[in-house]
Amino acid sequence: LKNKFKVTDKDCVAIITFVVNRFISLTPNTTLPNICTDSDDNNVLQLCESANADILITGDRALLELSSFKNTRIVTPRMYYDTIHHTSIS
């Protein structure tokens, strides 16, 4: 994160802590979609749907091209950090 997205050490720790504290393990309970240009990424979309995820944070270009899937907004780590994360902690 630090080098690729030019994030400080302190912010890296905050991001990692935030993600780890919200991690869940999930077995999909929905049908595998077939909408992503990279078919392997359809599994990620299926998990988002099964988890009722609000946000998917990714650097994957094929997923980012979608911008959303069902109720899930798809954003880069930078987009999340600059907008959503700061808004949620203010």
Side-chain angles (χ1 to χ4, degrees):
L1 284 174
K2 187 169 80 171
N3 295 330
K4 185 172 182 177
F5 300 107
K6 297 177 178 44
V7 176
T8 67
D9 288 341
K10 181 180 174 184
D11 289 341
C12 276
V13 170
I15 292 166
I16 291 167
T17 301
F18 179 81
V19 171
V20 167
N21 288 335
R22 285 155 181 82
F23 175 81
I24 61 169
S25 179
L26 179 72
T27 301
N29 61 2
T30 61
T31 303
L32 184 68
N34 187 23
I35 65 164
C36 195
T37 56
D38 180 347
S39 61
D40 291 337
D41 291 335
N42 287 315
N43 294 309
V44 175
L45 297 174
Q46 182 184 27
L47 284 171
C48 287
E49 182 181 8
S50 293
N52 295 314
D54 295 319
I55 301 168
L56 169 61
I57 304 169
T58 183
D60 186 283
R61 291 178 193 221
L63 288 168
L64 289 166
E65 286 176 4
L66 297 172
S67 75
S68 67
F69 173 70
K70 304 231 174 173
N71 296 321
T72 304
R73 183 174 170 194
I74 303 171
V75 299
T76 65
R78 175 56 67 185
M79 289 167 60
Y80 174 78
Y81 185 77
D82 287 347
T83 58
I84 300 164
H85 175 67
H86 283 296
T87 303
S88 68
I89 63 171
S90 297

